[in-house]
């Protein structure tokens, strides 16, 4: 009976899963996507998105097993009761005037009581930021679209921005249960005239020095979208290879766009050589046309002279011919620039423009910066100027950066607005539409949400001559060393009287000779 017990247990182990029925489907999923867009200036923008969604209540239930969702971020949500997190590293400046509206935008809304906003305008982005970002991906950089993320190619671009977005997503209409969504985005802009030897042609290998070989085996969706809106099939001036199997049309940022779709999960897309190298070639030189001007773009600069006073200026452009719309302007200014709020002026078309909402939080020295938020109405076809004067503060000598003469950075202004759309947008199912579609929230069919960032500013502050303390220290150390050294030698040195010697080498040699002769020594 005892010998048969292990056999019974073995049979029960085999029959156990059958008695419970089929295994539960995984509650997490991964979607990856790449959007390639030729810009009006001739450059090429590439936007990566990796979305991991997990049907789990991380803040209510204890989770010990992680499959696709990164464990480090899951523990962060559980421990600190995190609601949302948006972290981005950007190098370069998105030129809205020449490239059009930006691709990646943060969602609007959050309660001010729980909102934390911070900016490091001088932080340098390098490979040590990209490596841990790639490690959060389920396939890392081994398979799928992430194989294109080669550091030496990504950081030699005109613009580079990588971000991590975490937010809860409701599973039903009443939002009684939520799923956690992790969205990793990376956007780069390649200079096509440099990489393409003066041509607008491009390919995956020319931009990334790599090609696509296989999809991520853990992904439920892996697609590449190429913007072919300017493609005219009648004159065939543009050639996309390999030819796409399907196309996708939608209204993006107020304009109708057409995309060529390549599904990596389709075995017909990746050929027998397991290599997909998308290419775009112009059969004839494209016509040189002025790039379309977006309805909303902004510019920021510092005016004034000297190292005592100055003025911050922000220009807001509304190029729509006949429609006005409001914008929300948010400024965070360091405490060492003391703002004079009574000098705030807003002018549009030579007239004063009174904001409908103003929120100002003064700075505290060495604790918090200035916070200025305004809701401004931009008239149609106008340029609105927002100016405010400031006074430079004198810092302590220990508060200066290692290179103080380079200047101090001021974070860019944040501009949020609902921009009028030229084409009416239709409501779509977010789960069935591409991932990049959800980057452009649409309030209704007549407008879409846009968030812009101006240039960071570089402001000089009164800087002391740091060479004078160095000279004083060197001189003082030299004087102390000479004086103290001499005095110390006098106090510690011992003097002895040396008796004159009674004989030398000649005397000893003479005595040896005398001794050999039997004569008494000297």
């Amino acid at each position: 009976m005892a010998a048969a017990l292990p056999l019974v247990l073995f049979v029960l182990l085999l029959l156990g899963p059958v008695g419970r029925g089929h295994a539960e489907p995984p509650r997490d999923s991964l979607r990856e996507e790449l959007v390639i867009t030729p810009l009006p200036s001739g450059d090429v923008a590439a936007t990566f998105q990796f979305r991991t969604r997990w049907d789990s209540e991380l803040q209510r239930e204890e989770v010990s097993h992680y499959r696709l969702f990164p464990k480090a971020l899951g523990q962060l949500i559980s421990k600190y009761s995190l609601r949302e997190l948006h972290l981005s590293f950007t190098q370069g400046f998105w030129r809205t005037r020449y490239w059009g509206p930006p691709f990646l935008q943060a969602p609007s809304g959050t309660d001010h009581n729980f909102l934390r906003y911070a900016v490091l305008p001088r932080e340098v982005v390098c490979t040590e930021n990209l490596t841990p970002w790639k490690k959060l991906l389920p396939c890392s950089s081994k398979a799928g679209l992430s194989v294109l993320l080669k550091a030496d190619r990504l950081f030699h671009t005109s613009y580079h921005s990588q971000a991590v977005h975490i937010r809860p997503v409701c599973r039903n209409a009443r939002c009684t249960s939520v799923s956690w969504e992790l969205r990793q985005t990376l956007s780069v802009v390649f200079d096509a005239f440099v990489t393409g030897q003066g041509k607008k042609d491009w390919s995956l290998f020319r931009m990334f020095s790599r090609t696509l070989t296989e999809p991520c085996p853990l992904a439920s969706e892996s697609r590449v979208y190429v913007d072919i809106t300017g493609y005219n099939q009648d004159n065939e001036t543009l050639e996309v290879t390999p030819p796409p199997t399907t196309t996708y049309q939608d209204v993006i940022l107020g304009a109708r766009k057409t995309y060529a779709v390549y599904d990596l999960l389709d075995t017909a897309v990746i050929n027998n050589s397991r290599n997909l190298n998308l290419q775009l070639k112009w059969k004839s030189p494209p016509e040189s046309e002025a790039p379309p001007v977006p309805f909303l773009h902004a510019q920021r600069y510092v005016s004034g002279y000297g190292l005592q006073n100055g003025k911050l200026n922000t220009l807001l452009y509304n190029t729509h011919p006949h429609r006005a719309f409001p914008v929300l302007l948010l400024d965070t200014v360091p405490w060492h620039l003391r703002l004079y709020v009574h000098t705030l002026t807003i002018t549009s078309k030579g007239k004063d423009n009174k904001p409908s909402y103003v929120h100002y939080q003064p700075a505290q020295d060495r604790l918090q910066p200035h916070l200025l938020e305004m809701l401004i109405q931009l008239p149609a076809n106008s340029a609105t100027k927002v100016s405010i004067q400031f006074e430079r503060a004198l810092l302590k000598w220990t508060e200066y950066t290692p290179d103080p003469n380079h200047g101090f950075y001021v974070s860019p202004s944040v501009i949020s607005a609902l921009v009028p759309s030229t084409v009416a947008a239709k409501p779509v199912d977010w789960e069935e539409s591409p991932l990049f579609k959800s980057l452009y929230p649409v309030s209704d069919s007549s407008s879409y949400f846009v968030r812009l960032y101006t240039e960071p500013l570089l402001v000089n502050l009164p800087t002391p001559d740091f060479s004078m303390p160095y000279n004083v220290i060197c001189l003082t150390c030299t004087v102390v060393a000479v004086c103290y050294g001499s005095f110390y030698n006098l106090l510690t040195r011992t003097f002895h009287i040396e008796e004159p010697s009674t004989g030398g080498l000649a005397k000893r040699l003479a005595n040896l000779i005398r001794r050999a002769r039997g004569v008494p020594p000297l």
Side-chain angles (χ1 to χ4, degrees):
M1 184 64 181
L5 183 58
L7 179 60
V8 174
L9 292 177
F10 179 72
V11 173
L12 290 177
L13 290 175
L14 290 178
L15 296 178
V18 179
R20 291 194 299 268
H22 298 286
E24 295 183 359
R27 297 190 301 170
D28 51 1
S29 61
L30 170 66
R31 295 174 61 184
E32 58 178 9
E33 182 179 284
L34 169 61
V35 181
I36 301 177
T37 306
L39 300 177
S41 61
D43 302 324
V44 180
T47 304
F48 293 84
Q49 279 202 83
F50 304 90
R51 194 200 74 168
T52 304
R53 185 169 179 175
W54 192 10
D55 298 338
S56 177
E57 298 284 349
L58 294 177
Q59 296 180 348
R60 299 179 183 178
E61 60 185 43
E62 296 183 0
V63 179
S64 58
H65 176 68
Y66 291 81
R67 180 174 172 264
L68 300 179
F69 203 90
K71 184 177 181 180
L73 298 181
Q75 293 177 344
L76 182 67
I77 296 173
S78 303
K79 183 176 181 180
Y80 296 101
S81 300
L82 193 67
R83 295 190 177 184
E84 284 191 32
L85 173 63
H86 304 277
L87 176 64
S88 62
F89 296 90
T90 303
Q91 181 174 347
F93 174 66
W94 183 270
R95 305 181 184 278
T96 307
R97 176 66 176 78
Y98 304 99
W99 295 346
F103 285 84
L104 301 178
Q105 307 172 41
S108 59
T110 303
D111 190 349
H112 287 279
N113 297 326
F114 303 98
L115 176 62
R116 300 294 181 268
Y117 175 74
V119 181
L120 294 175
R122 197 182 179 182
E123 183 69 17
V124 179
V125 184
C126 57
T127 55
E128 65 182 13
N129 303 118
L130 180 63
T131 301
W133 185 89
K134 291 193 295 186
K135 290 182 178 179
L136 297 177
L137 300 173
C139 289
S140 185
S141 58
K142 307 299 182 183
L145 300 178
S146 58
V147 298
L148 301 177
L149 304 180
K150 194 176 180 181
D152 61 340
R153 300 297 297 173
L154 296 179
F155 290 102
H156 285 80
T157 54
S158 303
Y159 176 82
H160 171 274
S161 179
Q162 63 188 67
V164 174
H165 305 279
I166 302 176
R167 64 169 185 170
V169 180
C170 297
R171 300 187 206 173
N172 49 43
R174 296 185 178 181
C175 203
T176 56
S177 58
V178 298
S179 301
W180 284 96
E181 179 187 84
L182 167 64
R183 185 170 299 205
Q184 297 177 243
T185 60
L186 188 145
S187 181
V188 292
V189 176
F190 293 92
D191 191 340
F193 292 95
V194 175
T195 59
Q197 299 179 354
K199 301 179 180 179
K200 290 187 176 182
D201 302 344
W202 58 263
S203 66
L204 288 183
F205 185 79
R206 182 178 296 175
M207 292 189 296
F208 301 101
S209 296
R210 293 179 180 177
T211 57
L212 296 174
T213 56
E214 60 178 347
C216 175
L218 299 177
S220 60
E221 181 180 302
S222 180
R223 296 180 180 178
V224 179
Y225 294 84
V226 180
D227 189 353
I228 56 173
T229 305
Y231 172 69
N232 191 345
Q233 192 173 4
D234 298 332
N235 52 25
E236 295 182 353
T237 57
L238 183 66
E239 179 183 3
V240 182
T241 56
T245 56
T246 58
T247 59
Y248 174 78
Q249 292 186 354
D250 207 336
V251 177
I252 304 297
L253 293 175
R256 190 171 300 279
K257 299 287 185 177
T258 303
Y259 296 89
V261 183
Y262 298 88
D263 190 355
L264 299 186
L265 297 180
D266 187 0
T267 56
V269 173
I270 300 181
N271 51 26
N272 297 330
S273 61
R274 301 184 64 82
N275 180 22
L276 177 61
N277 183 24
L278 298 179
Q279 301 182 22
L280 186 144
K281 297 181 180 180
W282 292 88
K283 294 184 178 180
S284 60
E287 299 179 359
S288 58
E289 299 180 356
V293 180
F295 286 156
L296 176 63
H297 60 280
Q299 182 182 358
R300 199 182 191 201
Y301 62 94
V302 178
S303 60
Y305 58 91
L307 294 177
Q308 182 177 1
N309 299 322
K311 182 184 290 186
L312 296 177
N313 304 277
T314 304
L315 295 178
L316 306 175
Y317 295 93
N318 176 14
T319 61
H320 199 284
H322 56 269
R323 285 194 60 179
F325 54 87
V327 297
L328 186 64
L329 177 64
L330 175 65
D331 269 333
T332 54
V333 182
W335 64 268
H336 46 72
L337 299 182
R338 308 188 187 281
L339 297 182
Y340 295 144
V341 184
H342 70 280
T343 64
L344 176 64
T345 58
I346 305 175
T347 58
S348 299
K349 295 183 176 181
K351 300 180 180 180
D352 292 338
N353 188 344
K354 185 177 180 181
S356 56
Y357 167 77
V358 177
H359 171 70
Y360 173 69
Q361 180 178 334
Q364 298 182 17
D365 288 357
R366 300 171 180 84
L367 293 179
Q368 69 180 21
H370 301 270
L371 177 63
L372 180 61
E373 190 175 19
M374 296 175 288
L375 184 62
I376 306 172
Q377 185 77 10
L378 302 184
N381 196 16
S382 66
T384 302
K385 183 178 181 180
V386 181
S387 302
I388 186 171
Q389 297 181 10
F390 65 88
E391 180 183 359
R392 296 172 171 89
L394 184 62
L395 305 180
K396 298 180 180 179
W397 71 275
T398 56
E399 296 175 344
Y400 285 90
T401 58
D403 187 11
N405 292 312
H406 176 76
F408 292 78
Y409 282 88
V410 179
S411 59
S413 300
V414 185
I415 303 168
S416 306
L418 290 175
V419 180
S421 176
T422 57
V423 182
K426 299 180 180 179
V428 295
D429 185 2
W430 297 111
E431 290 301 322
E432 299 298 331
S433 60
L435 293 178
F436 70 88
K437 175 65 177 177
S438 59
L439 293 177
Y440 316 109
V442 179
S443 61
D444 52 34
S445 60
S446 61
S447 61
Y448 57 93
F449 178 77
V450 170
R451 177 165 290 165
L452 304 178
Y453 298 88
T454 62
E455 310 94 324
L457 300 179
L458 189 61
V459 179
N460 291 324
L461 295 181
T463 305
D465 186 1
F466 286 99
S467 63
M468 291 304 297
Y470 175 77
N471 297 334
V472 172
I473 292 174
C474 292
L475 178 61
T476 304
C477 292
T478 303
V479 173
V480 170
V482 172
C483 297
Y484 177 77
S486 302
F487 186 70
Y488 181 79
N489 287 335
L490 292 176
L491 292 178
T492 58
R493 182 177 296 177
T494 303
F495 297 93
H496 300 279
I497 300 177
E498 185 177 357
E499 297 292 340
S501 59
T502 57
L505 179 62
K507 184 178 182 179
R508 288 195 296 271
L509 291 176
N511 289 334
L512 290 175
I513 296 174
R514 291 173 68 89
R515 188 180 293 112
R517 293 180 178 179
V519 180
L522 296 176

